[in-house]
Amino acid sequence: MFAYGTNSLILAIFFSALKFSDHQIGIFMTLTLLGDVFLGTFLTLVADRVGRRKVLMGGSFLMVVSGVIFAVFENFWILLFAAIVGVISVTGGDFGPFRSIEESILSHLTSPTTRSDVLAWYVTTSTLGSSLGSEASGRIIHFLQNQDDWTSVDAYHALFWIYAAMGIGNAMLVLLLTDACELPVTEEMYTQVPQNENATIGSTHQAEAPEVESKAPLARNIFAKTTSWFTRRSAQISGPTRSIMYKLWFLLALDSLADGMVPYSLTNYYMDNRFHPAKSTLGDITSVSYFLSAIGAVFAGPLARKIGLINTMVFTHVPSSAAVLVFPFPPVLWIVAGLLMVRAGLNNMDQAPRSAFIAAVVKPEERTATMGITSMVRTLAAMAGPTLTGLMAANKAFWIAFVLAGVCRLSYDLGLYAMFVNMKLYQHESALDDLPVEHGSRRSQDEEMVELQSLADSDAGDVDSVDRNAGSRASLTHSRLQVVGASERVRSRSPHVRSPSRGLDS
């Protein structure tokens, strides 16, 4: 995110310095986001099969390649190719393959009680990286422009060498990840009925995921093959999950369209054209905005535990949306900068709760694919934004983009609250995963639950027994008291988990 922070400050300004028109800038960003759709979706759908760490390593390699090309070339089409095929952030955020895979890893490694906090700190640390990147970017450009024989374009090229170096650093960090980041492979067994005399009844085979075969002829073009492949991969997501996600995807598309119309790179370009501040001043404004965004993300987890995930997403996002709506109207830079800080400070507070909400309503084995498709939907919607803004900017109506973006964001907030505020969460979570570790290890809690279940089974057997005497009835009553008492102790540790022995009281 340090590298993405350097991009968000200078990308649109860099294109302007290369004499690209506003319309070309918008088209460039749209096509770059389109490339992110295909790259990010492909990598996230195969991440669990190929290996999450391998996919992250491949993304780091593409990041290095893109940085080197941007540092060397100035041709529009070469830069566009590098942005589409490689990893370049045109929005200042992570729309590439990294975020959805990293969020899936964190959701896999955490329990419902800790997930919101962990994801909040994930957003915080990444935003702090963007803040430092923006600050360093402004200072480096200001320093290089004051040197002899250094033009603005040369200074921008130097920043992309830093971007490439950050890609190498990211690859080195991926090497430190362990096998715990990967999805465990479960082998389900079934008994096959013999189909011939030589087969043995009850022979055991590993069950494999059925391949969807079409009765139609084989695909005759790349598009048909790609569609068939995507259909098979999206089948990893169950029907109940899709019914929830369709509504959420529609709202996220609306919000992402707004973000795509006024990303930080175009927002900086707007302020640079309207107020003409020094690049160091622009870098300071952007850096402080990212820093406030990081600080706000810290409170997302505790706030989500206090008022709920959806309430946190909505009530923090509404003021940020209002700041976008009125952004173009103040006549002085310091008021505009203040609105940008309000927008940024509250904007990221919905990200960790959103990821936690998705993890809470989908099955664990569906999370990577779901988050990958979520990222694809957001990117598809966002990629139309820069083109629209470019057209408005070319017609001297840049300010309209902020008004439309604010309206779309507020519509997302209201729709999110209306559709999901009363939804039940954690239906697919294991009860044991929700139990905190207190005065012992997780293994001891597992053993206690097994023991409670065993006692329950023995009680059921005693009830069904025909031959019982007074002593056995007393033993049965005593056993029930032990089960109920132990069950109450388990429930007191986590009030949201229903004990399996609850049914004994009925």
Side-chain angles (χ1 to χ4, degrees):
M1 293 305 293
F2 180 93
Y4 289 162
T6 61
N7 278 354
S8 65
L9 178 66
I10 58 96
L11 191 61
I13 301 174
F14 170 62
F15 293 151
S16 179
L18 294 178
K19 307 303 181 183
F20 297 166
S21 67
D22 291 340
H23 180 64
Q24 283 181 304
I25 294 174
I27 292 292
F28 186 99
M29 293 187 174
T30 292
L31 294 179
T32 301
L33 289 172
L34 179 62
D36 288 343
V37 169
F38 292 105
L39 176 65
T41 303
F42 171 76
L43 293 180
T44 51
L45 289 178
V46 303
D48 289 341
R49 187 183 300 267
V50 175
R52 295 168 176 173
R53 291 173 295 174
K54 292 180 180 178
V55 171
L56 292 176
M57 182 64 70
S60 301
F61 172 75
L62 293 176
M63 186 176 171
V64 174
V65 172
S66 299
V68 171
I69 292 177
F70 269 73
V72 173
F73 295 97
E74 297 179 0
N75 180 270
F76 178 84
W77 300 107
I78 295 177
L79 296 179
L80 180 60
F81 175 79
I84 292 176
V85 177
V87 178
I88 287 287
S89 174
V90 300
T91 63
D94 188 358
F95 275 96
F98 296 112
R99 184 175 191 119
S100 55
I101 296 176
E102 290 168 353
E103 288 177 346
S104 179
I105 291 174
L106 292 176
S107 298
H108 170 67
L109 296 176
T110 55
S111 66
T113 54
T114 60
R115 187 170 297 138
S116 294
D117 287 336
V118 172
L119 290 173
W121 279 106
Y122 166 76
V123 174
T124 298
T125 53
S126 61
T127 309
L128 280 175
S130 297
S131 175
L132 294 175
S134 297
E135 178 67 21
S137 176
R139 297 297 175 182
I140 291 173
I141 292 175
H142 183 73
F143 173 78
L144 293 178
Q145 286 179 339
N146 291 331
Q147 304 301 309
D148 295 336
D149 300 328
W150 277 85
T151 65
S152 297
V153 173
D154 294 333
Y156 299 145
H157 279 308
L159 286 180
F160 287 107
W161 285 114
I162 298 176
Y163 183 88
M166 291 298 101
I168 297 175
N170 192 76
M172 296 176 65
L173 292 175
V174 172
L175 294 175
L176 301 179
L177 299 178
T178 66
D179 293 337
C181 298
E182 306 291 350
L183 182 68
V185 179
T186 58
E187 297 182 353
E188 298 195 2
M189 312 294 286
Y190 68 92
T191 301
Q192 183 178 14
V193 177
Q195 302 298 321
N196 55 62
E197 297 179 355
N198 296 327
T200 303
I201 297 177
S203 60
T204 304
H205 301 272
Q206 294 184 0
E208 297 181 356
E211 292 290 335
V212 179
E213 297 183 359
S214 175
K215 296 180 180 180
L218 294 177
R220 301 179 183 276
N221 53 64
I222 296 177
F223 177 77
K225 292 181 180 179
T226 303
T227 303
S228 177
W229 174 87
F230 180 78
T231 302
R232 290 197 303 269
R233 291 299 180 267
S234 61
Q236 300 173 10
I237 304 176
S238 61
T241 297
R242 289 198 297 268
S243 66
I244 297 172
M245 294 306 300
Y246 284 149
K247 295 182 288 186
L248 183 60
W249 284 335
F250 172 77
L251 294 175
L252 288 175
L254 195 62
D255 180 57
S256 297
L257 174 62
D259 288 341
M261 293 176 68
V262 288
Y264 288 117
S265 55
L266 289 180
T267 300
N268 289 328
Y269 181 51
Y270 173 80
M271 291 190 295
D272 185 65
N273 282 346
R274 183 178 179 186
F275 301 107
H276 307 288
K279 296 301 183 291
S280 57
T281 301
L282 197 59
D284 291 340
I285 294 173
T286 306
S287 178
V288 172
S289 299
Y290 277 129
F291 180 76
L292 292 176
S293 179
I295 296 300
V298 173
F299 297 99
L303 188 61
R305 290 198 307 271
K306 185 71 173 178
I307 66 174
L309 296 174
I310 295 298
N311 288 337
T312 301
M313 293 167 64
V314 173
F315 296 154
T316 60
H317 202 255
V318 167
S320 177
S321 302
V324 174
L325 180 66
V326 301
F327 184 82
F329 300 116
V332 292
L333 177 62
W334 67 270
I335 298 180
V336 171
L339 289 174
L340 177 61
M341 292 175 187
V342 172
R343 167 191 171 182
L346 297 174
N347 191 60
N348 279 359
M349 290 189 72
D350 76 317
Q351 293 187 14
R354 182 179 65 222
S355 300
F357 176 78
I358 294 175
V361 297
V362 304
K363 299 177 181 179
E365 63 271 17
E366 298 173 351
R367 284 174 184 158
T368 301
T370 300
M371 290 181 176
I373 294 177
T374 301
S375 179
M376 179 202 70
V377 170
R378 294 180 63 230
T379 309
L380 276 174
M383 74 180 192
T387 298
L388 296 176
T389 302
L391 291 173
M392 287 182 278
N395 291 288
K396 310 301 180 182
F398 204 154
W399 63 274
I400 297 179
F402 293 94
V403 175
L404 293 178
V407 172
C408 289
R409 286 165 61 102
L410 288 172
S411 300
Y412 157 79
D413 297 329
L414 298 177
L416 190 68
Y417 187 83
M419 292 184 184
F420 297 105
V421 68
N422 294 319
M423 178 166 288
K424 294 182 179 180
L425 307 179
Y426 311 118
Q427 299 297 305
H428 305 293
E429 299 283 353
S430 172
L432 290 174
D433 291 339
D434 199 30
L435 294 176
V437 179
E438 295 181 4
H439 307 294
S441 64
R442 175 63 58 86
R443 180 181 177 183
S444 64
Q445 296 175 18
D446 295 346
E447 292 174 351
E448 183 178 4
M449 294 299 293
V450 172
E451 182 180 356
L452 292 177
Q453 186 63 46
S454 177
L455 287 171
D457 294 340
S458 66
D459 288 346
D462 289 341
V463 171
D464 294 336
S465 176
V466 178
D467 186 14
R468 64 167 66 91
N469 51 32
S472 64
R473 285 196 297 271
S475 175
L476 174 59
T477 303
H478 179 66
S479 176
R480 284 181 175 179
L481 291 175
Q482 287 181 333
V483 173
V484 173
S487 176
E488 293 298 331
R489 288 196 301 272
V490 173
R491 286 199 298 272
S492 67
R493 294 179 182 176
S494 180
H496 304 289
V497 180
R498 183 176 181 179
S499 174
S501 60
R502 179 72 174 173
L504 295 177
D505 297 333
S506 58

